[in-house]
């Protein structure tokens, strides 16, 4: 038999616009390997939402999906915006609130480290490092949004393998949080040897784009990261792949946009914010230019109807 934690879905005008909250009710449902799940949820706030001061009962990782707000730890306030991560520790005093003009939506997971679980040793250094954090806030660089969404999907629609998948996604959230806060880790492929320097440079540039897709504001950031001029790196990418660096970046961003649409967890306005558009109007214009239809029509007719569409092959339209 498949088990899942009961979900509370609430809507409180003026406070919580929408909340999906999964709280385990028994030890059997709570234990996911080396992680004991306390709560997991998705909270969309209205202007005026305030999270009253309380003492943390567990470790908590929050990820701001969209909008702005603030959290405070032991009386010290930290302003937050889309893409920010925030860590709370057991025993800390915690409070928060939503921005009056652009209230935030955030995912959250409350948990304990189950250090007695078999094979839990690998988490002990992570726990020790988190316990000694210098700052509770940092910017996500490693797409932690995806495992958050995957846990929400598994919790809301359990299958025979959901328990194992939730364990893997929870471990991924903890590891990505650790790397975002405490490590300069970057995935680097060793390449094919010094004689293939151009290929390795292109691979590194494409990997950098994948790892920092939602943070890159200017393609010069990519070339600067590897000590090349933008024109030379663009030449290498076009030579090796047949697509310009700008076209590749645009294609990756449109692919990410379509991925978010397929998830069904975000409004078009939220997707525009995630993809770093100033407004829904500029996003809609760019989307229509790239796909020939509005975002809402694309979702209705392509994703919701005939099946997934494809991003522009050459991607030269700015995302």
């Amino acid at each position: 038999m498949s088990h899942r934690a009961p979900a509370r879905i609430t809507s409180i005008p003026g406070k919580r616009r929408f909340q999906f909250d999964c709280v385990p009710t028994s030890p059997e449902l709570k234990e996911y390997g080396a992680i004991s799940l306390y709560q997991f949820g998705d909270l969309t706030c209205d202007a005026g939402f305030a999270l009253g001061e309380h003492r943390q009962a567990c470790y908590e990782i929050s990820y701001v999906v969209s909008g702005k707000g603030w959290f405070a730890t032991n009386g010290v306030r930290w302003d937050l915006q889309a893409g920010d991560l925030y860590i709370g520790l057991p025993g800390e005093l915690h409070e928060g609130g939503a921005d009056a003009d652009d209230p935030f939506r955030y995912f959250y997971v409350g948990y304990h480290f189950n250090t007695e679980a078999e094979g839990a040793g690998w988490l002990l250094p992570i726990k020790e490092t988190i316990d000694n954090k210098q700052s509770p806030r940092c910017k996500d660089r490693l797409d932690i949004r995806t495992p958050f969404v995957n846990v929400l999907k598994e919790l809301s629609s359990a299958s025979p393998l959901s328990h194992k998948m939730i364990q893997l996604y929870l471990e991924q959230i903890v590891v990505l949080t650790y790397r975002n806060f405490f490590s300069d880790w970057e995935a680097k492929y060793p390449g094919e040897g010094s004689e293939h320097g151009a290929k390795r440079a292109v691979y590194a540039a494409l990997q950098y784009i994948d790892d920092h897709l939602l943070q890159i504001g200017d393609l010069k950031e990519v070339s600067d990261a590897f000590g090349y001029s933008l024109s030379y790196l663009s030449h290498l990418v076009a030579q090796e792949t047949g697509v310009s660096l700008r076209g590749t970046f645009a294609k990756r961003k449109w692919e990410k946009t379509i991925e978010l649409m397929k998830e069904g967890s975000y409004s078009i306005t939220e997707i525009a914010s995630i993809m770093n558009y100033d407004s829904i109007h500029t996003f809609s214009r760019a989307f229509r230019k790239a796909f020939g239809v509005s975002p809402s029509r694309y979702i209705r007719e392509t994703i919701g109807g005939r099946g997934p569409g494809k991003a522009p092959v050459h991607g030269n339209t700015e995302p």
Side-chain angles (χ1 to χ4, degrees), residues 276-310:
N276 294 319
Y277 280 87
D278 293 334
S279 71
I280 181 63
H281 305 293
T282 55
F283 172 74
S284 296
R285 283 197 299 271
F287 190 94
R288 184 182 292 274
K289 185 176 181 181
F291 292 90
V293 295
S294 68
S296 57
R297 183 175 176 182
Y298 185 94
I299 293 173
R300 184 174 63 252
E301 296 183 356
T302 306
I303 295 176
R306 297 189 297 270
K310 296 181 179 179

Side-chain angles (χ1 to χ4, degrees), residues 135-151:
S135 167
R137 178 193 65 189
C138 83
K139 182 67 68 176
D140 173 45
R141 299 173 287 114
L142 304 171
D143 193 23
I144 202 171
R145 178 192 303 105
T146 297
F148 264 107
V149 169
N150 287 337
V151 173

